[in-house]
Amino acid sequence: MADLKGKRIALLATHGFEQSELEVPRDRLAGMGAEVHVIAPEDGDIKGWDGDDWGRPVSIDKTLDQASMDDYDALVLPGGQINPDLLRVNDDALAFIKRAYESGKVLAAICHAPWLLVETGIAEGATMTSYPSVKTDVKNAGATWVDEAVVADNGLITSRNPDDLEVFSKKIAEEILEGQHTRAAA
């Protein structure tokens, strides 16, 4: 198991995140020794989506206006259909995501969260995967879409769906331990 002691990871989400896509990486990465913060645009709890209905609330650690990507080694973007759709119209959320990418931090998105990589321009030129219904959006944004469980492209990690969360979490840890990545601006 990777040792992430001393590493800090931000999880950016809002209401409607896929429950397991936030909780599993949060818990796995914290279990490896990382300090993990849930960040949201709003204060208080955010409510997940679990199966066919609303899931459990998750307490946030910081609001988006209290957080600086400079304080983190990685940013994880859980999916669900509602969560990334709400975040992709939030300019502060998009700026936070771009800051992670442009500063060479590990950036990981699962399921529908690659919509955020499309919206920020990060998808262009990258090799990525996503939930199948997001495939056309990813390709139209100039990315190469591949049908794989998890794809890592220079510290940009994407994953298809919740069935791949264990591999996704391990890949995040591996990429964090590699250090910062050099990339062009989005």
Side-chain angles (χ1 to χ4, degrees):
M1 183 186 294
D3 181 3
L4 296 178
K5 283 188 182 139
K7 302 296 182 185
R8 299 181 81 208
I9 301 168
L11 274 148
L12 177 61
T14 192
H15 299 288
F17 62 88
E18 183 68 33
Q19 199 81 43
S20 63
E21 294 174 14
L22 184 145
E23 292 177 344
V24 172
R26 177 197 65 194
D27 297 347
R28 295 299 180 271
L29 295 165
M32 293 178 210
E35 182 179 344
V36 182
H37 292 161
V38 176
I39 298 169
E42 59 280 328
D43 199 8
D45 292 344
I46 53 175
K47 200 166 203 177
W49 189 263
D50 196 2
D52 296 331
D53 204 350
W54 290 102
R56 297 171 298 284
V58 169
S59 295
I60 66 154
D61 298 296
K62 291 184 178 188
T63 58
L64 198 49
D65 63 343
Q66 296 169 329
S68 170
M69 197 55 228
D70 295 338
D71 296 334
Y72 297 96
D73 299 289
L75 174 59
V76 179
L77 304 170
Q81 294 174 344
I82 301 167
N83 170 60
D85 199 43
L86 292 173
L87 290 176
R88 70 182 175 165
V89 295
N90 182 311
D91 291 338
D92 293 333
L94 298 176
F96 195 76
I97 295 164
K98 277 185 174 181
R99 176 73 183 134
Y101 183 79
E102 291 171 354
S103 62
K105 309 290 176 86
V106 171
L107 177 56
I110 188 168
C111 196
H112 288 77
W115 269 337
L116 296 163
L117 306 178
V118 167
E119 195 66 36
T120 56
I122 293 168
E124 186 174 358
T127 299
M128 300 170 45
T129 193
S130 66
Y131 193 73
S133 67
V134 180
K135 172 183 175 179
T136 300
D137 297 330
V138 169
K139 289 170 72 174
N140 286 342
T144 300
W145 188 90
V146 294
D147 187 14
E148 294 180 20
V150 176
V151 174
D153 183 355
N154 196 23
L156 178 64
I157 305 163
T158 50
S159 186
R160 278 189 304 227
N161 61 55
D163 295 340
D164 306 317
L165 284 167
E166 293 299 328
V167 176
F168 180 63
S169 299
K170 287 178 184 175
K171 182 53 80 174
I172 293 168
E174 179 183 307
E175 292 289 319
I176 289 170
L177 293 174
E178 282 184 11
Q180 288 195 321
H181 297 77
T182 305
R183 307 181 184 113

